[in-house]
Amino acid sequence: MRIVGTNHGGYANDRNIADLPLHRYRVIRGRNVFRGPNYLHFKLRGKMHAYLPWLHWDGGLANYDLLHFFNGISLGRKPWLSTFETYLPRWGAYGGERIAWGLRRLAAPACKRLIALSQCTLEIQRQYLNDYAGFQDEIMSKVSILHPPQAPLLDQAAVTEKWNRKPSDAIECLFIGSDFFRKGGLETLRAFDQLLRGGAPLRLTIISSMHFGDYASKTTAQDLNESMQIIARHSQFIQQHKALPYPEVMAHCRRADVGLLPTWADTYGYSALEFMAAGCPVLSTDIRALPEINGADRGWVIDCEKDSWGNAVLDTAAQRLSFSKKLEAGILETLTAVLHSPESIAIKGRVAYNHILNHHSPDTAASTLEQWYDEALR
């Protein structure tokens, strides 16, 4: 069995690399001389360094055959691959010679493949390289797409039984995400406040630490206070957990009827996959990779004004206010339609579940990676 070194742990790294059911390769966390300096920078400055977390060099003492990173770049000579979510090099905001240095690493022979999480990610990389034409052809020739894997959370019999809901049952909605406001939490609560005041048969479970002040929504403590007031007002129908163990989160996915991801900003949208893997159709926005995951046949989509990278346009306070109002209106309109036609949950849930089986198989992803690893070692 051959050994694959990787740069760090973490949810995205584990999900896309380390936890895949590989048969001929084993993934380990590789030695990295930049780990110490990056940790020291974090302790002294209270934040991650701009590019040290994404660099890797083992000092020539590696005991693995090749490397596979998430958003990472290797300085060594061993063959390497990197899965990425937006563009590489990760420190692209710096400009000048630093970017050119990173691009030379991507164009070098040791870099065997760059794996975009989505078609959107691939197009962002292409657009990014428009400003560096001397590297574009060489680097883009290495870019492939591999969507994150997702195992089904219910078997076919269990998910079919789940759809046999009674028309009188309350519709169970689920919201997951520590960045509550960036994920559209405030707009979700405002819509639920209106519907529950009108006696709508809805229940909402929130699993979130309720972080505010993120880069997209720029929310404040006042927004948090409003959210907590709505939750308290409808405590019989809205339940909030700051955090739960991952198996319990997945248990909530299995029980939910509708998953909520009306997000302001996301590079991918992993929770949409988890919802769909439980036969739970998703209400989402259409930013970034989400149109490749969700659609009108298997969920509900709120259209947003987007830039060329697929991000919501949120540059000014007026744009953020407009986005928030449209998001709230979209959530309210969608949930009202679902209440009038609850049978749509099963119809869309079936398509969503099959989409996961057909497009996000962990076995298929593992087989694809092993083929790419074989090619990298030739």
Side-chain angles (χ1 to χ4, degrees):
M1 180 172 286
R2 289 181 164 180
I3 304 299
V4 180
T6 191
N7 52 341
H8 56 75
Y11 180 80
N13 184 289
D14 291 346
R15 179 163 194 146
N16 290 283
I17 303 171
D19 289 347
L20 284 179
L22 302 171
H23 298 291
R24 295 180 288 105
Y25 291 85
R26 181 166 65 91
V27 179
I28 65 171
R29 188 176 183 185
R31 180 180 183 273
N32 187 5
V33 300
F34 294 107
R35 191 173 298 149
N38 181 54
Y39 176 77
L40 182 61
H41 181 276
F42 182 81
K43 295 296 287 185
L44 293 175
R45 300 288 183 89
K47 61 181 180 180
M48 291 173 58
H49 192 274
Y51 52 89
L52 282 180
W54 318 116
L55 291 179
H56 183 275
W57 185 52
D58 55 38
L61 302 175
N63 61 342
Y64 35 76
D65 299 285
L66 74 162
L67 291 147
H68 186 179
F69 309 119
F70 191 85
N71 289 332
I73 290 180
S74 174
L75 307 187
R77 297 181 179 180
K78 280 192 178 292
W80 60 277
L81 307 84
S82 190
T83 296
F84 67 105
E85 57 187 332
T86 301
Y87 58 78
L88 291 173
R90 180 76 171 184
W91 59 89
Y94 271 77
E97 182 56 29
R98 290 185 184 181
I99 292 181
W101 180 80
L103 294 174
R104 284 194 290 272
R105 304 309 306 173
L106 298 175
C111 174
K112 299 300 182 181
R113 191 177 296 267
L114 303 172
I115 305 169
L117 285 187
S118 64
Q119 181 66 40
C120 175
T121 298
L122 182 148
E123 293 302 330
I124 290 174
Q125 182 72 55
R126 191 193 310 278
Q127 289 182 47
Y128 178 75
L129 290 172
N130 284 340
D131 293 331
Y132 305 95
F135 296 100
Q136 189 168 46
D137 290 345
E138 181 64 32
I139 292 175
M140 289 306 301
S141 70
K142 301 180 181 185
V143 180
S144 303
I145 299 171
L146 183 61
H147 281 263
Q150 175 64 57
L153 297 180
L154 293 171
D155 62 25
Q156 190 70 57
V159 79
T160 300
E161 178 60 29
K162 174 180 177 175
W163 293 323
N164 292 331
R165 64 188 312 280
K166 297 176 182 178
S168 60
D169 290 344
I171 295 172
E172 300 281 350
C173 300
L174 179 60
F175 181 102
I176 302 171
S178 59
D179 269 358
F180 181 73
F181 297 92
R182 177 173 62 83
K183 300 282 187 178
L186 178 56
E187 293 75 19
T188 295
L189 283 176
R190 286 171 174 169
F192 269 81
D193 188 33
Q194 294 186 56
L195 292 167
L196 290 173
R197 285 174 183 269
L202 288 170
R203 294 185 183 276
L204 171 62
T205 299
I206 298 169
I207 305 173
S208 175
S209 54
M210 310 294 286
H211 287 167
F212 64 88
D214 62 86
Y215 65 93
S217 68
K218 300 188 185 300
T219 39
T220 66
Q222 182 178 349
D223 299 307
L224 176 61
N225 184 55
E226 178 186 349
S227 298
M228 299 312 294
Q229 288 180 358
I230 295 173
I231 292 171
R233 186 181 304 136
H234 303 288
S235 59
Q236 185 179 353
F237 305 103
I238 301 177
Q239 185 179 37
Q240 185 241 334
H241 305 274
K242 286 188 176 180
L244 290 174
Y246 186 73
E248 291 187 34
V249 176
M250 294 302 97
H252 277 284
C253 284
R254 294 182 181 97
R255 291 192 294 267
D257 296 311
V258 175
L260 301 173
L261 187 57
T263 183
W264 290 57
D266 260 298
T267 56
Y268 192 81
Y270 292 107
S271 63
L273 300 184
E274 293 162 339
F275 290 136
M276 295 164 68
C280 179
V282 180
L283 165 57
S284 76
T285 50
D286 65 343
I287 62 167
R288 292 293 292 267
L290 280 167
E292 300 173 51
I293 307 167
N294 198 20
D297 61 331
R298 53 191 177 272
W300 305 271
V301 179
I302 299 172
D303 294 331
C304 306
E305 182 183 357
K306 297 176 292 297
D307 62 20
S308 63
W309 285 15
N311 294 308
V313 178
L314 305 169
D315 297 324
T316 67
Q319 289 170 336
R320 290 191 294 274
L321 179 60
S322 175
F323 181 88
S324 177
K325 288 183 175 179
K326 184 173 182 180
L327 195 57
E328 181 185 342
I331 297 168
L332 184 61
E333 179 183 353
T334 300
L335 291 178
T336 300
V338 173
L339 287 164
H340 288 157
S341 302
E343 67 277 6
S344 65
I345 295 172
I347 294 170
K348 293 176 182 290
R350 183 173 289 106
V351 181
Y353 183 78
N354 288 331
H355 181 82
I356 294 299
L357 298 182
N358 295 330
H359 298 281
H360 295 273
S361 163
D363 289 330
T364 300
S367 176
T368 300
L369 278 188
E370 291 199 319
Q371 177 184 337
W372 289 345
Y373 292 163
D374 290 344
E375 292 173 358
L377 290 171
R378 284 175 192 156

